[in-house]
Amino acid sequence: MSLLKTIDTNPSFAPRESSPLPERLISGTPSFKTWAQDVARGDMIHTGIWEAMPGETRSIKGETFEFCHILSGVVELTPENGEPVVYKAGDSFVMKPGFVGAWKTIETVRKIYVTVM
């Protein structure tokens, strides 16, 4: 087993498709696609590509740490009781455990994600 993993930003396999839980939907009709590409440390670390169509949802990280690198699109994250922050292609950010806020996809977004639970 190789300890080097290349993340395919345009995977050729079918994604898992989903939509937000009704209690997390703020506005619009966003849908999501996930191309899971690696799991490590049991089921603790996940990485892959995630895509979202425009809309706004409530983001609740709980105990999960998530690193994101935006490949395309534009999103606006507004932490609870905080100011909105816009991220676009080329930007990277981390949502730490305990993060609660609004995730607004302004233009269809595609990102690399790494989650650690």
Side-chain angles (χ1 to χ4, degrees), residues 24-40:
R24 294 221 181 159
L25 181 63
I26 296 171
S27 67
T29 55
S31 60
F32 312 128
K33 294 180 181 179
T34 304
W35 292 268
Q37 296 190 31
D38 197 48
V39 176

Side-chain angles (χ1 to χ4, degrees), residues 40-55:
R41 299 254 170 125
D43 200 32
M44 300 281 291
I45 302 171
H46 294 246
T47 191
I49 302 297
W50 183 82
E51 186 175 275
M53 301 300 286

Side-chain angles (χ1 to χ4, degrees), residues 8 27 89 98 103 109 115-116:
D8 183 352
S27 67
W103 175 291
V109 70
T115 59
V116 180

Side-chain angles (χ1 to χ4, degrees), residues 62-85:
E63 295 299 313
T64 302
F65 170 101
E66 182 173 2
F67 167 82
C68 302
H69 177 75
I70 305 295
L71 297 168
S72 61
V74 179
V75 297
E76 178 183 89
L77 274 66
T78 306
E80 199 168 61
N81 302 315
E83 295 297 315
V85 180

Side-chain angles (χ1 to χ4, degrees), residues 94-108:
V94 168
M95 289 182 285
K96 294 183 177 184
F99 176 86
V100 175
W103 175 291
K104 183 177 183 179
T105 301
I106 297 167
E107 294 175 10
T108 299

